[in-house]
Amino acid sequence: MIHEMKRLTTRIGAYDPLDAAGYERLGGFRGLRQALSKAPADVIGEVADAGLQGRGGAGFAAARKWSFVAAQERHPKYLICNADEGELGTVKDRLLLEGDPWAVAEGLLITAYATGADVIIVYIRGAYREAFCLWKELAERVSAELRRPELWTAAAGRAAPELRVVRGRGLYIAGEEMALIASLAARRPVSASKPPYPAEKGLFGMPTVVHNVETVANVPLILADGAGEYRTVGTEEEPGTRLFSLSGNIRRPGVYELPIGSTTLAQLIDDLGGGTLDGRPPKAVQPGGGTSALLSAAHLNTRMSSADLRAAGSSAGTGGVIVYGADRNAVSIVDELLGYYGGESCGMCMPCRVGTLKMREIVKRLLAGDGCAADIGRLRAVGETCVKASTCGMGQSFPLPVLSALKLFPRDFESLVRVPPRTRTPDQEQSR
Amino acid sequence: MSMETISLMIDGRQVSAAEGTTILEAARTAGIHIPHLCWDPRVEPIGSCRLCAVRIEGRNSFFQACSTTAVHGMQVTTEDAEIAALRKGILELIFADHHTACPTCDRDGNCKLQDYAYRYGADHDRFGAAEASPIRSNYASANYGIAYVSEKCIKCGLCVKYCETVQMAEAITLAWRQERTAVTTAFGVDLHESPCELCGGCIRVCPAGAMLDRKAIGKGRDRNLNRVRTICPYCGVGCQMDLLTDPVRNRIVRVTAVPGSPINDGNLCVKGHFGFDFVSSEERLTQPLLRKADGFAAVTWDEALDTIGTRLRRIREKHGPEGLAFVSSCRCSNEENYLMQKLARAAAGTNNVDQCATTCHAPTVAGLASAFGSGAMTNSVREIRDCDVLFVIGANPTEAHPIVGLEMKRALRRGAKLVVCDPRRTWLAARAHVHIQHRPGSDNMLLNAMMRFIIDEGLQDRAFVAERCEEFDVFEENLRAFSVEEAAIYCGVKAEDIRQAARLYANGSPSAIFYTLGITEHTCGTDNVRNLANLAMLCGQIGKWASGVNPLRGQNNVQGGCDMGAMPHKLPGYQNWSDDAVRAKFERAWDRPLPTNPGGRVTHFVEEAGAGTLKALYVMGEDLVVSEPNQAKVVRHLRQLEFLVCQDLFLTETAKLAHMVLPGACWAEKDGTFTASERRVQRFRRAVLPPGEAKPDWEILCLVSEALGYPMHYADPSEIFSEMARLTPSYAGMSYARLGDEGLQWPCPDPDHPGTRFLHEGTFARGKGKFQPIGFQPQKEEPDESYPLILSTGRTLYNYNSGSMTRKTGIIRQKESANFVEIHTDTAARYGIADGDRVRVRTRRGVVAGRAVVGERVRPDSIWMPFHFAEAPANAVTNDVFDPETATAEYKCCAAALEKAEA
Amino acid sequence: MNPEQAAAYRQFFSSLPSLVTAEDLFGILGQLQDELGCIPRAAIRDLAGRAGVSETRLFGAVTSYPDFLLAED
Ligand SMILES: Cc1cc2nc3c(=O)[nH]c(=O)nc-3n(C[C@H](O)[C@H](O)[C@H](O)COP(=O)(O)O)c2cc1C
Ligand code: SF4
Ligand code: SF4
Ligand code: SF4
Ligand code: SF4
Ligand code: FES
């Protein structure tokens, strides 16, 4: 039997989220104080030693982003906290935003100090109304706290960063960092080719660092107790804990914090989640949110680390574990996923803009019984083209569940083909 | 800023490129084509089509060649089996969003989408094709010029990016999402109601046949059209363009331009892109017309030439050669201008030959020649983007010289600083670092104050002044009478702005001056020009790359018209006919003695016609009634002539007064050369045949010359050009063969000379630059009680001069159909005038009406009006007082009264 | 826009500073949507003018969000 390990979630429910003093009593602001006693470069060094990686999906080393931005001389620099959390099956950021907002704020202040950011923007998913209202108020309290000389001014030697809170407007793609930056600039919220990277040319063309909420929440821990202590859990390549959002066909859905790599998918599902509703092994699981590839029951012994999940053919993504029951048909699973992602392409690049729509269309056709054998080939072709050719993570990953379903559960697709293929010569068929 | 060169391997070939270039650009320079739909050299990479995917050795994903910077030592593979398969896959998805209908598509035969589909074997129907939507209206449906076919649009974003960053009009955007994604204006308002400037750029960049020339739809597919490379016939910038013509129906179908063209880099303005309807206008003259008692009657060419010959000869016999005068045209070719002055001098025996530059840039020629020894734009358009400080005075390039305006926009994007001195708040002024909105006519006060400040602060370039200039002391002495504070009061601007402008200009590295008619069209026009020359010399801001004094010429061939000697006091190449060696050279070549009368300017011809001393006037391609000030007087005087010949495309206001009207061929119907403002001599080419019996002007001039007893024989314009080049040192190294597609910039003295980018490097044309003390003289007509406002006139983006060409174009009429008067909000309030009201502008000479445009563009003490509208001719009210040296009229300002007209 | 919304919009707009920066735009649009339940056409024009960006650009942006509702004046 495995148990949760509460590092990020330990204070949740233990203080009134607006109460800075309550937070401080529970050990808050130690990280910030420690950080301010060091040079920014040393703060970055500490985070590098801790090996902190982004929790927003891409898993990029936080300290590397920081040093790019810190090296830039232009101001204002921006720090954006990405709280748009739109990935299916993922609710961990909400828990932190509402349950321990001061820890997120503290992490942001440390990041701002280390990178030299002048403005912090927290971009909160539109549907998280409560979180937004709370943060509006919190922003004022943060600036009040920052007037305490020991918390910022005296130590940092420059004006405290300004904290702004912005609400998203129902657009999944606005969580992708380039689209997010465009959104905040009141431009069309579409992604863009990188380079240039945000660190160099971000919001309004200025150096910008974008972080997921959970990533930021790790920062105070690292500074308060040091990289060595931080590394005592997790794996060598991926230290620390992660928040796993467990949902779908599961008895006890919820957010669970575990050391990275310490548990298998099966343990997570059975020990913490209480197993599937009918007790049978699941048909499939998405271990890293709605755009991660499906794993079948055969993969349930995979450990929950990026490396292990990658080896199994999927990814750690956002830590959103979605469980599909044994009675599900793979085509209906991908139909459900495409029902959401199929409408979320930003439309900037052609493969993804058209590919989302076409995949959704083909799957619908199959489910309606109007599909032909060539449709399966088409589905795979669109998916592969999107993965290889798309600009951003959206187009590169939304087809992954479909492609994995085609590989793992080909019969589910084939059994839906009703219409005989149009008469073609073998030659033509091959060229398709 | 030194540019490092890097070297990389592309497809196994060693390629060198400037640091910072993308893989796609590097490949292009090596002649390797990487497929692309959403890339254009003029805009930042978009990255939407993904076709340019390439492989970089040692990296495992694909990279977009259009947006990945080439790095030294990189090894790039632009195509292998996997890349080809990927491209096929992408194309098949693109086709799913493109109504593929090549057989009925205007772009058929010149379409990248089509070419790539063929190359990669992409099946356009693999995912089902986008359907042609039942006629759904969009923002362009009501536009006469541009059509947007949304089902063809692949949403690459190129048109939007061009509109936003090159034209900087921001008229269109992509909007909505998913299946609804489309190009639109804000709220889908009709394009001509939007900020669209109708530059046509969105059409020219569209890779998918979704943006089309509305009038060309169905008039011919690219595969069936001829492409003729030529030069725009409108302003003096000299843009290169391609005419796509239907050889069977003998008509121009549409116009386009190719990125990388010498002056305009494939950009055009509304006139260039759309303004060719006049070519096939019903109103074109097709036969010679002879005035009879009851109006015009068509006659044969023989009869016409006979009449002209007889009557001109008779007048010359009776009144001497001085009884004849010839008006040449800046819209005609160099060859024709050369022939016209040869006709006047050799055939008719008079120096009475002139052209319209009198009305605009003669002060430039006179002023710059006296200071530097040569009167033309000293830099090239291409250099503008490298300016650090742009000093723009009395010029509104984004409207009057739009492509120069685009280069200035480009400079701004690259961080250049901008000083604009203009009584109006123009597009550039609104974005300037300093805008000096000085009182019309106070330029010299302003310039002298600036120069005084520069000297006081020690910002001048002492070494340059000492080594390269002369007569500095008198000039400096003169400045003592001026001060920034006094100038600020008289000009009505902030003293600090004057100082700031002076500092910016003097310290820029480099700075360049740009000006147009706001400087020249004053009684003190020549002085204004000289003072700009003073300013440039004082700061050493001339004779360098991106640094100099740049008059922007109005008409397409003003520069050439002047170069060709179509003016009384100069022979081709500004050679003096009083110089014996020069005389001898021309007399030998022309086999006639040269006349010695001083000759007059166009304004004098009009005066002398009225006085009865001038008997016959031969006008080619000019509408004096509309273009000369004080219209009623011009008509009265021209009526006095015994014989008036007009050679034109249309029956213009002037032609209506003529005794003989000859039908000329327009630019698209003949060959020749134009000389652009930047001194670039470029070939334009025949694309269609002239209507009816109309003939190229050079042919007509030869025939007339023969009728006058002086036969001239040329097989084609290149022979005329060769004769001219032989006699004109600055053109001596040029020939049609050498001009090619790029042209050559004079001076080009010998056949091995590469032409001259910028003038006065190292030494001035006249040796030393000459400082000239310039006093201040107020304008001739100060506002008073009965005429309390200052009226200025000028041009707009959409129309051109008297409008005889542009106003025949539907799209232009749709955008700007009638005369208007710009009035300051405060002034309008004082007169009880609201935006859109009809108003009347009264001066001592007449009244014109127009619609009020109320805003902050003009000063409260001034009003402004365009001069393009024949039914409301601004020049009917302007002042016919002249610059004493060049006879340029003071169009820019006169006193006026304003009143509201009843609806 | 119904009359109440129109009045609310006038009220909202008159309380804005005369110069807004591009940084504020997205937030202001959101506020409008939250307070009025829509973004009036006039707001696009007015905000574009005050922030010195084009109406076109704002229109393109606003139409991309499911939660923004554009309303005719
Ligand atoms: C389609 C798409 C949606 C995304 N949505 C989110 C999101 O809602 N929240 C988030 O933190 N990151 C999201 N990301 C990842 C961000 O682009 C970015 O990588 C991340 O915010 C960086 O933060 P990190 O380094 O702390 O992980 C998304 C990426 C893509 C491709
Ligand atoms: S992959 Fe999709 S979401 Fe990403 S830029 Fe392309 S169209 Fe937009
Ligand atoms: S744009 Fe090209 S591919 Fe499309 S219909 Fe026209 S010619 Fe065919
Ligand atoms: S014609 Fe020019 S200004 Fe008008 S929409 Fe097209 S690109 Fe923009
Ligand atoms: S109209 Fe043409 S250029 Fe514009 S987005 Fe569509 S395909 Fe691209
Ligand atoms: S040309 Fe590179 S993505 Fe279109």
Side-chain angles (χ1 to χ4, degrees):
Chain A
M1 196 68 183
I2 54 143
H3 295 283
E4 270 196 272
M5 170 173 213
K6 297 200 174 200
R7 269 186 168 186
L8 302 173
T9 50
T10 165
R11 275 181 297 259
I12 289 175
Y15 72 97
D16 171 354
L18 282 173
D19 180 16
Y23 175 69
E24 200 162 3
R25 270 196 302 282
L26 294 171
F29 298 131
R30 281 197 301 130
L32 179 58
R33 286 208 175 85
Q34 280 294 328
L36 293 175
S37 71
K38 300 174 192 251
D42 295 333
V43 177
I44 298 178
E46 195 72 40
V47 172
D49 290 344
L52 176 64
Q53 285 164 25
R55 305 288 200 250
F60 195 80
R64 280 188 61 199
K65 276 199 214 176
W66 293 17
S67 44
F68 290 147
V69 173
Q72 299 280 326
E73 275 161 19
R74 294 173 305 137
H75 283 272
K77 294 181 187 174
Y78 294 92
L79 165 59
I80 301 173
C81 178
N82 188 344
D84 199 43
E85 198 164 55
E87 186 77 335
L88 286 182
T90 312
V91 288
K92 56 174 180 104
D93 293 343
R94 177 176 190 180
L95 187 73
L96 293 172
L97 289 171
E98 293 179 9
D100 194 2
W102 281 101
V104 177
E106 187 184 347
L108 288 169
L109 291 170
I110 298 170
T111 313
Y113 173 69
T115 56
D118 309 274
V119 182
I120 303 172
I121 302 173
V122 184
Y123 189 99
I124 301 178
R125 180 179 181 179
Y128 292 175
R129 215 191 147 77
E130 295 78 7
F132 175 70
C133 295
L134 181 107
W135 272 80
K136 278 302 251 191
E137 237 174 283
L138 194 85
E140 282 164 32
R141 299 203 181 190
V142 168
S143 30
E145 289 300 314
L146 288 183
R147 281 196 284 276
R148 284 161 58 184
E150 80 276 18
L151 268 197
W152 184 276
T153 18
R158 63 183 181 95
E162 186 189 339
L163 178 66
R164 295 198 202 139
V165 183
V166 172
R167 194 173 165 205
R169 295 289 152 179
L171 204 61
Y172 164 67
I173 194 62
E176 192 283 324
E177 59 187 1
M178 301 305 272
L180 175 54
I181 286 168
S183 171
L184 284 170
R187 287 179 166 269
R188 253 171 91 71
V190 294
S191 187
S193 280
K194 287 182 271 191
Y197 293 95
E200 191 192 322
K201 250 181 122 186
L203 185 54
F204 301 110
M206 303 311 284
T208 301
V209 55
V210 183
H211 268 310
N212 173 256
V213 175
E214 185 186 344
T215 318
V216 168
N218 274 287
V219 172
L221 290 176
I222 296 171
L223 270 296
D225 301 322
E229 171 64 25
Y230 184 82
R231 276 183 166 278
T232 54
V233 299
T235 66
E236 178 58 28
E237 313 84 70
E238 245 188 315
T241 58
R242 274 200 86 153
L243 301 186
F244 293 101
S245 320
L246 197 53
S247 68
N249 190 315
I250 192 90
R251 269 182 217 280
R252 286 196 300 270
V255 178
Y256 299 96
E257 183 173 6
L258 290 167
I260 296 172
S262 68
T263 11
T264 63
L265 203 44
Q267 286 172 315
L268 178 62
I269 293 172
D270 294 331
D271 295 1
L272 296 174
T276 57
L277 293 173
D278 60 6
R280 287 195 284 163
K283 163 110 178 188
V285 181
Q286 284 185 291
T291 54
S292 59
L294 297 174
L295 295 178
S296 70
H299 295 113
L300 287 176
N301 282 328
T302 310
R303 292 199 164 268
M304 298 299 284
S305 77
S306 298
D308 291 298
L309 290 167
R310 206 178 312 120
S314 188
S315 62
T318 60
V321 179
I322 310 172
V323 183
Y324 299 97
D327 54 341
R328 291 294 297 272
N329 174 297
V331 185
S332 82
I333 294 175
V334 300
D335 178 51
E336 203 171 281
L337 292 170
L338 288 171
Y340 177 69
Y341 294 109
E344 296 298 335
S345 164
C346 79
M348 191 289 276
C349 71
M350 300 184 196
C352 168
R353 189 188 68 248
V354 186
T356 43
L357 302 174
K358 286 296 152 187
M359 285 182 98
R360 191 166 65 178
E361 189 184 299
I362 296 170
V363 167
K364 284 252 176 293
R365 192 156 68 217
L366 286 168
L367 281 174
D370 298 331
C372 63
D375 277 336
I376 296 179
R378 288 196 184 107
L379 204 52
R380 187 177 296 118
V382 183
E384 283 171 356
T385 303
C386 287
V387 170
K388 285 190 205 152
S390 294
T391 306
C392 83
M394 160 79 193
Q396 289 161 9
S397 59
F398 88 89
L400 296 174
V402 186
L403 293 174
S404 58
L406 282 165
K407 195 150 88 200
L408 297 171
F409 311 108
R411 295 281 312 135
D412 288 12
F413 289 85
E414 285 154 15
S415 65
L416 286 173
V417 171
R418 301 256 187 278
V419 182
R422 277 192 260 162
T423 344
R424 287 179 192 282
T425 63
D427 209 30
Q428 277 176 328
E429 206 49 61
Q430 220 161 32
S431 78
R432 295 226 128 198
Chain B
M1 203 175 58
S2 75
M3 272 287 198
E4 293 289 319
T5 306
I6 55 159
S7 119
L8 64 159
M9 295 286 276
I10 303 181
D11 292 344
R13 277 168 58 188
Q14 194 79 27
V15 174
S16 51
E19 194 173 6
T21 39
T22 61
I23 296 176
L24 192 144
E25 288 165 329
R28 242 164 81 98
T29 52
I32 300 171
H33 180 91
I34 300 176
H36 59 267
L37 289 171
C38 71
W39 180 82
D40 182 286
R42 292 160 296 183
V43 302
E44 300 260 291
I46 298 175
S48 62
C49 78
R50 319 304 290 170
L51 277 182
C52 63
V54 296
R55 203 190 286 287
I56 298 173
E57 195 62 36
R59 315 283 295 266
N60 45 25
S61 57
F62 293 112
F63 285 80
Q64 301 310 128
C66 69
S67 39
T68 308
T69 309
V71 175
H72 188 74
M74 211 179 224
Q75 291 191 38
V76 178
T77 307
T78 68
E79 189 157 322
D80 58 21
E82 203 189 338
I83 296 174
L86 184 69
R87 293 198 179 130
K88 171 173 179 286
I90 299 171
L91 284 165
E92 287 174 340
L93 284 174
I94 294 174
F95 278 117
D97 196 31
H98 175 74
H99 176 59
T100 311
C102 307
T104 55
C105 181
D106 291 349
R107 291 292 153 85
D108 179 29
N110 179 23
C111 169
K112 285 201 208 106
L113 202 47
Q114 208 182 37
D115 294 346
Y116 297 149
Y118 188 80
R119 173 160 162 191
Y120 294 105
D123 178 353
H124 74 272
D125 201 20
R126 181 165 190 198
F127 297 107
E131 302 219 345
S133 53
I135 311 117
R136 200 170 355 110
S137 75
N138 61 44
Y139 75 97
S141 302
N143 196 271
Y144 292 169
I146 299 178
Y148 172 58
V149 186
S150 62
E151 67 264 19
K152 284 231 168 97
C153 174
I154 59 173
K155 291 94 183 176
C156 68
L158 204 44
C159 55
V160 170
K161 193 86 164 195
Y162 183 94
C163 189
E164 179 182 332
T165 63
V166 177
Q167 189 64 23
M168 291 173 91
E170 291 195 67
I172 50 175
T173 178
L174 280 162
W176 304 290
R177 305 184 54 242
Q178 294 296 301
E179 296 93 330
R180 263 195 92 188
T181 314
V183 176
T184 180
T185 53
F187 298 94
V189 298
D190 285 345
L191 190 59
H192 57 274
E193 304 284 345
S194 80
C196 171
E197 292 167 358
L198 296 171
C199 68
C202 46
I203 301 176
R204 294 191 301 274
V205 298
C206 179
M211 290 279 181
L212 296 170
D213 286 277
R214 181 174 294 285
K215 293 194 61 186
I217 294 176
K219 298 275 175 3
R221 292 171 299 177
D222 273 26
R223 69 165 68 256
N224 298 332
L225 301 178
N226 284 350
R227 193 177 260 260
V228 180
R229 183 141 298 178
T230 190
I231 302 300
C232 176
Y234 286 101
C235 78
V237 175
C239 298
Q240 189 180 86
M241 52 164 56
D242 287 354
L243 299 181
L244 297 185
T245 62
D246 177 339
V248 179
R249 294 188 184 75
N250 186 39
R251 67 182 171 197
I252 302 172
V253 175
R254 61 188 186 94
V255 171
T256 189
V258 182
S261 56
I263 295 176
N264 52 320
D265 196 9
N267 302 306
L268 292 173
C269 79
V270 55
K271 290 165 291 221
H273 189 104
F274 292 106
F276 57 89
D277 285 8
F278 75 93
V279 174
S280 53
S281 164
E282 291 291 310
E283 294 166 33
R284 283 286 299 274
L285 297 170
T286 55
Q287 279 178 303
L289 301 175
L290 177 65
R291 175 175 300 287
K292 298 258 164 78
D294 54 348
F296 284 117
V299 293
T300 63
W301 273 105
D302 284 345
E303 190 180 344
L305 291 166
D306 201 45
T307 313
I308 294 171
T310 320
R311 299 203 48 188
L312 288 184
R313 272 202 306 263
R314 198 186 309 141
I315 290 170
R316 184 175 56 189
E317 275 151 27
K318 220 159 117 201
H319 305 280
E322 254 122 297
L324 312 178
F326 297 80
V327 177
S328 192
S329 172
C330 301
R331 279 131 149 200
C332 292
S333 66
N334 287 329
E335 292 75 4
E336 287 156 352
N337 275 285
Y338 172 81
L339 284 193
M340 182 58 119
Q341 59 88 35
K342 185 176 173 187
L343 174 73
R345 294 191 163 114
T350 173
N351 280 320
N352 272 345
V353 58
D354 194 17
Q355 33 89 20
C356 65
T358 302
T359 56
C360 36
H361 269 299
T364 286
V365 176
L368 291 187
S370 69
F372 305 146
S374 154
M377 191 164 167
T378 71
N379 302 102
S380 303
V381 175
R382 168 60 188 80
E383 294 166 40
I384 295 174
R385 69 185 75 159
D386 295 328
C387 292
D388 175 33
V389 175
L390 300 161
F391 186 86
V392 179
I393 180 163
N396 184 10
T398 57
E399 295 211 39
H401 302 88
I403 300 306
V404 167
L406 279 197
E407 282 297 319
M408 290 182 173
K409 290 172 181 175
R410 170 139 47 182
L412 285 186
R413 287 198 298 282
R414 293 173 56 144
K417 294 170 277 301
L418 176 61
V419 178
V420 175
C421 306
D422 200 305
R424 277 171 90 213
R425 193 172 157 79
T426 57
W427 192 99
L428 282 177
R431 285 151 186 85
H433 297 81
V434 183
H435 176 204
I436 296 187
Q437 201 166 9
H438 60 308
R439 184 187 144 106
S442 63
D443 307 271
N444 278 329
M445 182 70 100
L446 174 70
L447 292 172
N448 281 342
M450 275 178 62
M451 291 189 284
R452 164 80 193 264
F453 175 78
I454 286 168
I455 291 175
D456 287 352
E457 296 278 299
L459 302 174
Q460 72 271 40
D461 186 338
R462 290 207 172 79
F464 186 93
V465 170
E467 284 160 28
R468 296 205 38 197
C469 311
E470 60 189 17
E471 300 184 30
F472 179 70
D473 295 342
V474 240
F475 159 75
E476 189 191 15
E477 174 71 37
N478 172 59
L479 291 183
R480 301 232 169 102
F482 294 86
S483 79
V484 169
E485 285 69 25
E486 281 168 38
I489 294 168
Y490 185 83
C491 303
V493 300
K494 286 207 229 59
E496 187 43 38
D497 284 351
I498 300 182
R499 290 191 201 103
Q500 186 59 20
R503 263 185 229 114
L504 276 173
Y505 176 76
N507 293 333
S509 59
S511 300
I513 297 174
F514 300 86
Y515 71 90
T516 56
L517 309 188
I519 280 295
T520 56
E521 283 185 355
H522 289 286
T523 46
C524 54
T526 309
D527 278 352
N528 287 347
V529 173
R530 286 190 186 121
N531 229 1
L532 288 175
N534 287 338
L535 177 62
M537 290 188 289
L538 181 63
C539 301
Q541 298 282 19
I542 181 155
K544 297 184 286 193
W545 178 265
S547 180
V549 180
N550 297 291
L552 305 173
R553 316 300 302 256
Q555 293 170 342
N556 56 336
N557 204 28
V558 183
Q559 187 62 53
C562 296
D563 293 353
M564 292 303 109
M567 49 186 170
H569 53 297
K570 299 278 178 190
L571 288 165
Y574 308 95
Q575 301 173 83
N576 283 323
W577 46 254
S578 47
D579 179 320
D580 285 339
V582 171
R583 283 187 78 83
K585 175 171 73 174
F586 277 92
E587 289 180 344
R588 206 172 328 113
W590 290 352
D591 194 24
R592 280 285 162 108
L594 286 187
T596 50
N597 65 321
R601 311 228 58 150
V602 174
T603 41
H604 303 133
F605 300 160
V606 174
E607 292 299 324
E608 285 166 21
T613 44
L614 187 75
K615 297 294 177 191
L617 185 62
Y618 191 109
V619 182
M620 170 172 80
E622 281 295 323
D623 192 358
L624 303 182
V625 172
V626 179
S627 61
E628 292 296 295
N630 201 343
Q631 195 168 89
K633 194 172 98 182
V634 175
V635 172
R636 217 165 49 236
H637 287 192
L638 292 184
R639 283 225 167 90
Q640 311 273 313
L641 287 166
E642 219 177 287
F643 192 51
L644 174 62
V645 186
C646 278
Q647 176 176 326
D648 210 307
L649 307 181
F650 296 102
L651 197 60
T652 60
E653 297 302 311
T654 310
K656 283 178 192 158
L657 306 173
H659 302 93
M660 176 65 79
V661 182
L662 302 176
C666 79
W667 114 107
E669 296 152 357
K670 60 190 180 188
D671 290 301
T673 59
F674 292 141
T675 305
S677 270
E678 63 163 33
R679 298 167 278 107
R680 186 182 295 271
V681 183
Q682 307 186 95
R683 287 186 61 185
F684 63 92
R685 297 176 179 85
R686 173 145 117 177
V688 288
L689 299 171
E693 294 171 24
K695 285 182 195 292
D697 293 291
W698 65 269
E699 276 185 50
I700 302 178
L701 293 177
C702 290
L703 293 170
V704 169
S705 188
E706 185 162 6
L708 275 174
Y710 181 75
M712 307 199 275
H713 290 296
Y714 303 98
D716 60 53
S718 74
E719 291 187 0
I720 310 173
F721 191 88
S722 305
E723 174 181 319
M724 178 279 296
R726 267 201 312 280
L727 294 166
T728 310
S730 53
Y731 282 69
M734 300 183 192
S735 62
Y736 269 35
R738 274 200 80 195
L739 292 179
D741 271 358
E742 298 279 307
L744 280 168
Q745 285 174 283
W746 66 253
C748 175
D750 60 69
D752 298 320
H753 193 281
T756 309
R757 255 278 158 81
F758 56 90
L759 297 179
H760 314 306
E761 185 177 18
T763 168
F764 284 104
R766 71 182 287 278
K768 292 231 170 193
K770 183 178 171 193
F771 277 107
Q772 298 166 86
I774 305 297
F776 171 68
Q777 36 164 319
Q779 64 189 83
K780 283 285 157 323
E781 208 178 72
E782 289 280 347
D784 54 23
E785 234 158 71
S786 6
Y787 298 96
L789 297 167
I790 307 176
L791 165 70
S792 317
T793 63
R795 52 181 106 219
T796 71
L797 172 61
Y798 300 100
N799 278 298
Y800 177 77
N801 285 10
S802 56
S804 62
M805 282 149 82
T806 47
R807 294 188 67 220
K808 304 219 159 35
T809 300
I811 183 175
I812 290 176
R813 279 200 310 274
Q814 184 180 36
K815 182 86 188 183
E816 183 178 282
S817 61
N819 195 35
F820 60 89
V821 184
E822 287 183 357
I823 305 167
H824 190 271
T825 318
D826 297 348
T827 317
R830 223 168 49 236
Y831 283 82
I833 292 167
D835 193 58
D837 282 355
R838 279 199 69 72
V839 294
R840 269 197 299 265
V841 174
R842 211 152 32 77
T843 73
R844 293 198 166 79
R845 289 153 296 277
V847 185
V848 293
R851 185 174 47 81
V853 173
V854 176
E856 325 270 274
R857 291 255 291 180
V858 289
R859 291 163 51 101
D861 61 4
S862 311
I863 53 179
W864 186 92
M865 204 162 58
F867 57 56
H868 308 299
F869 298 92
E871 66 279 7
N875 290 342
V877 296
T878 42
N879 198 358
D880 55 339
V881 293
F882 300 98
D883 180 315
E885 289 176 56
T886 57
T888 296
E890 183 150 81
Y891 286 105
K892 273 297 154 191
C893 45
C894 67
L898 180 67
E899 61 201 28
K900 191 168 161 175
E902 308 66 49
Chain C
M1 259 198 308
N2 58 36
E4 278 151 53
Q5 283 173 325
Y9 172 66
R10 277 194 300 277
Q11 170 80 39
F12 180 94
F13 196 71
S14 62
S15 66
L16 281 183
S18 61
L19 268 182
V20 301
T21 65
E23 283 189 27
D24 306 325
L25 277 176
F26 185 67
I28 295 174
L29 288 168
Q31 254 175 296
L32 263 172
Q33 174 68 39
D34 289 343
E35 290 178 23
L36 271 67
C38 68
I39 298 176
R41 183 168 175 165
I44 302 287
R45 191 182 54 235
D46 296 344
L47 285 175
R50 284 201 187 183
V53 304
S54 74
E55 230 181 297
T56 317
R57 186 197 295 179
L58 277 189
F59 179 78
V62 168
T63 53
S64 304
Y65 295 91
D67 293 0
F68 280 150
L69 186 72
L70 273 175
E72 287 296 319
D73 296 344

